[in-house]
Amino acid sequence: MSAALGESEQEPRRQVGALPYRRTSGGSVMIMLITSRESRRWVIPKGWPMKGRKPFEAAAREAYEEAGLIGSIGKRPLGFYLYEKRLKSRDAVLCQVKVFPLEVRKQLKHWPEQHEREDHWFTPSDAAEAVAEAGLAAIIRAASKRDSGLLP
């Protein structure tokens, strides 16, 4: 890496996330998004890798903590996207989020971050429009295409 790029051009920090989805009785797919705690943007449940847990297990845990979701998590990622995470210090760090599909079976009545976030079920096209990150929007669009094979 050339020195001209400066100090900010470091490797992105790795995160894991879950793309929560369910099928309607008509067979179409719905995607759940949640709001971030700070900026209130629509995002997917995500967080840092967890010691002793595989990446997909950590993603499922984040979906539980942030949205009360219980379901079947895919072991193969749908893809990854980059975003800038604002830290409490007001600095920003570049993060790469590996996204795993989560087929939601139920949402619990109570969960750890229940009063810190909102959640909403979106059609895939509305979910892709609602998120700010182009890479996440692309994953949602690709995963929800009929017969894409990405969502079981």
Side-chain angles (χ1 to χ4, degrees):
M1 191 175 305
S2 80
L5 289 175
E7 296 300 311
S8 64
E9 296 293 322
Q10 70 237 80
E11 279 285 296
R13 307 235 341 239
R14 302 208 185 286
Q15 288 192 313
V16 295
L19 182 65
Y21 73 94
R22 64 182 163 108
R23 296 207 184 272
T24 66
S25 55
S28 60
V29 170
M30 297 294 286
I31 305 284
M32 180 182 276
L33 298 177
I34 60 172
T35 54
S36 68
R37 285 193 287 204
E38 299 293 321
S39 63
R40 310 306 288 174
R41 291 176 305 114
W42 289 110
V43 297
I44 60 170
K46 64 183 175 307
W48 305 110
M50 298 175 186
K51 204 174 190 68
R53 291 202 173 149
K54 292 180 169 61
F56 64 89
E57 293 169 336
R61 178 72 192 186
E62 292 294 341
Y64 156 72
E65 290 177 2
E66 297 181 3
L69 300 177
I70 304 295
S72 175
I73 189 89
K75 292 179 173 64
R76 290 215 322 266
L78 296 169
F80 62 87
Y81 70 97
L82 295 168
Y83 83 106
E84 277 206 339
K85 179 175 180 62
R86 293 253 169 249
L87 302 175
K88 288 191 172 59
S89 64
R90 298 251 187 258
D91 291 338
V93 59
L94 187 64
C95 293
Q96 180 190 71
V97 184
K98 193 180 283 189
V99 180
F100 296 89
L102 175 71
E103 185 166 16
V104 177
R105 280 199 306 273
K106 68 178 181 179
Q107 185 174 35
L108 301 174
K109 286 188 171 59
H110 306 284
W111 61 90
E113 297 181 20
Q114 183 169 10
H115 301 293
E116 300 172 44
R117 303 172 184 277
E118 295 172 49
D119 58 70
H120 185 74
W121 287 102
F122 291 86
T123 64
S125 59
D126 287 347
E129 290 293 318
V131 298
E133 298 83 8
L136 177 55
I139 289 171
I140 291 169
R141 285 190 182 101
S144 59
K145 281 201 178 15
R146 275 226 185 276
D147 306 321
S148 70
L150 294 175
L151 297 181

